[in-house]
Amino acid sequence: MKKIGVFTSGGDAPGMNACLRAAVRTGLHHGLEVVGILRGYEGMIDGDFRVMDRQSVSNIIHLGGTILRSARSERFRTKEGRIQAYQQLKKEGIEGLVAIGGDGTFSGAHIFYEEHGIPIVGCPGTIDNDLLGTDFTIGYDTAINTAMTAIDNIKDTANSHDRLFFIEVMGRDAGFIALRTGIACGAEAVLIPESKTNIDHLVSLLQENFDNRKSSNIIIVAEGDDAGGAFDIADQVRRRNRQFDIRVSILGHIQRGGRPTCMERVRASRMGMEAVKALLAGKSDIMIGQVHTDIIYTPFAHATKHHQEINPTLTQIVEILS
Ligand code: F6P
């Protein structure tokens, strides 16, 4: 293998740049030519390539977002789009790929590998932490710290006004951001897609708190919760009990940006390096993950199909400590 391509795809995540830097510099260290593919699979289809030298990734380790930009490609979902992408890679002489992204990116990578046989190794880059085969995805640690700071701020004003706040955090299909920030901020309840939300139960908990003169309450809602988003749930609670002074706050994309934390940069650097080493060792169709302190390989099909499970102890912490 003489030339590899690197790209970021799907929702951006803090730490993607650190991962990219590591992949580029590890590739160069091993005598490879490295090409950056802009806008993920979109740029691959369009042949939007950029030669990456050491300087191209200078001073990016601390930056959020991705200097290669990102996209969710509809064209790559089609067979024709993937053929076009393959032809562009062939024309450029790219023989292997490092994909930094989440489940959509890896589902695409898996099909692409099956159809065209080009070796691809993935680094888990998503704030959602929802991929099987790694304790933490790139972006998650920064996102939970950003959310935690925002929730702390809301808590100040909630306390001052004796209010009940519903705060929505990201997580279309997963409650990892909600659960960890809920614990870190001492939330009264955390509502996540992995467990059924019972509004009546929530209202009695809030009533109990109210009767015990608990002046403010924070409820964290993962955006993909089965009972709806924070606004829907707040409405359902309001309809059952009018005595609460309710406010809603949606944290939104603020969670996706910002400077990556120290742990994020270290993990991302390690994963980017390991991805290139895996490619050189002849691996493909796998995601790099870190479990405890070990690097492990998980087939794309497995990493994307099976959700990481919620640790029941974390749910218990919320219930007992709130
Ligand atoms: O990156 C994952 C994620 O943050 C989800 O939690 C969220 O639902 C989604 O991306 C939103 O992404 P976008 O606004 O880019 O479509």
Side-chain angles (χ1 to χ4, degrees):
M1 196 176 284
K2 292 199 172 59
K3 197 175 197 176
I4 61 167
V6 187
F7 64 99
T8 51
S9 161
D12 63 341
M16 278 186 162
N17 281 326
C19 185
L20 167 70
R21 170 180 175 270
V24 169
R25 291 197 170 164
T26 306
L28 296 174
H29 173 79
H30 288 281
L32 297 172
E33 280 181 70
V34 185
V35 172
I37 301 165
L38 292 144
R39 297 174 294 109
Y41 293 122
E42 282 290 287
M44 201 183 284
I45 293 169
D46 295 336
D48 207 352
F49 301 142
R50 176 202 286 181
V51 174
M52 305 298 282
D53 57 13
R54 283 189 70 80
Q55 280 69 39
S56 67
V57 288
S58 286
N59 278 316
I60 64 165
I61 195 165
H62 60 296
L63 300 178
T66 158
I67 61 159
L68 289 183
R69 296 163 135 71
S70 194
R72 300 188 199 273
S73 175
E74 281 308 315
R75 288 189 290 164
F76 197 77
R77 289 180 192 274
T78 66
K79 213 173 168 63
E80 298 69 43
R82 294 192 293 273
I83 290 172
Q84 225 176 311
Y86 179 66
Q87 285 166 348
Q88 295 282 15
L89 295 176
K90 250 189 115 183
K91 200 163 93 190
E92 182 67 26
I94 294 172
E95 298 162 296
L97 292 167
V98 173
I100 307 167
D103 54 358
T105 305
F106 296 159
S107 303
H110 176 60
I111 299 173
F112 196 51
Y113 176 70
E114 285 200 324
E115 287 175 352
H116 300 287
I118 181 156
I120 314 181
V121 171
C123 292
T126 164
I127 64 164
D128 290 341
N129 203 39
D130 59 348
L131 292 162
L132 196 82
T134 191
D135 287 344
F136 298 103
T137 55
I138 297 165
Y140 176 64
D141 188 52
T142 309
I144 54 179
N145 277 286
T146 303
M148 182 185 72
T149 307
I151 298 164
D152 283 348
N153 290 359
I154 292 173
K155 229 180 144 163
D156 290 343
T157 174
N159 278 333
S160 307
H161 287 269
D162 296 339
R163 278 178 175 155
L164 162 58
F165 263 89
F166 288 87
I167 305 174
E168 187 177 299
V169 297
M170 275 187 164
R172 208 176 3 202
D173 316 299
F176 296 103
I177 297 177
L179 199 50
R180 279 216 165 74
T181 54
I183 293 171
C185 297
E188 275 59 44
V190 178
L191 313 180
I192 56 176
E194 289 86 347
S195 61
K196 187 135 185 52
T197 293
N198 182 332
I199 301 290
D200 291 324
H201 180 80
L202 178 65
V203 172
S204 27
L205 172 90
L206 292 167
Q207 183 63 53
E208 202 180 303
N209 289 348
F210 191 83
D211 296 343
N212 288 333
R213 299 186 178 282
K214 195 164 205 205
S215 65
S216 68
N217 287 278
I218 300 286
I219 313 297
I220 308 291
V221 182
E223 65 178 327
D225 188 67
D226 58 291
F231 276 109
D232 296 329
I233 294 173
D235 270 351
Q236 295 175 54
V237 169
R238 200 177 279 120
R239 269 186 261 124
R240 285 171 171 79
N241 190 327
R242 301 224 159 250
Q243 67 186 325
F244 304 127
D245 185 9
I246 298 178
R247 293 291 184 275
V248 176
S249 186
I250 313 278
L251 298 190
H253 288 77
I254 192 171
Q255 297 159 94
R256 283 246 293 258
R259 286 183 167 232
T261 61
C262 178
M263 286 306 286
E264 205 83 89
R265 298 178 202 190
V266 174
R267 265 189 221 118
S269 298
R270 187 171 179 206
M271 287 178 181
M273 190 178 86
E274 293 290 347
V276 174
K277 278 164 62 180
L279 265 184
L280 287 170
K283 307 283 179 210
S284 186
D285 202 20
I286 50 137
M287 182 194 85
I288 300 290
Q290 189 180 318
V291 173
H292 305 307
T293 54
D294 298 328
I295 289 295
I296 65 157
Y297 303 152
T298 304
F300 283 141
H302 198 65
T304 53
K305 274 210 192 84
H306 304 265
H307 249 204
Q308 229 198 91
E309 275 176 26
I310 291 283
N311 179 348
T313 314
L314 298 182
T315 321
Q316 214 184 15
I317 294 176
V318 177
E319 285 165 9
I320 297 176
L321 303 191
S322 73

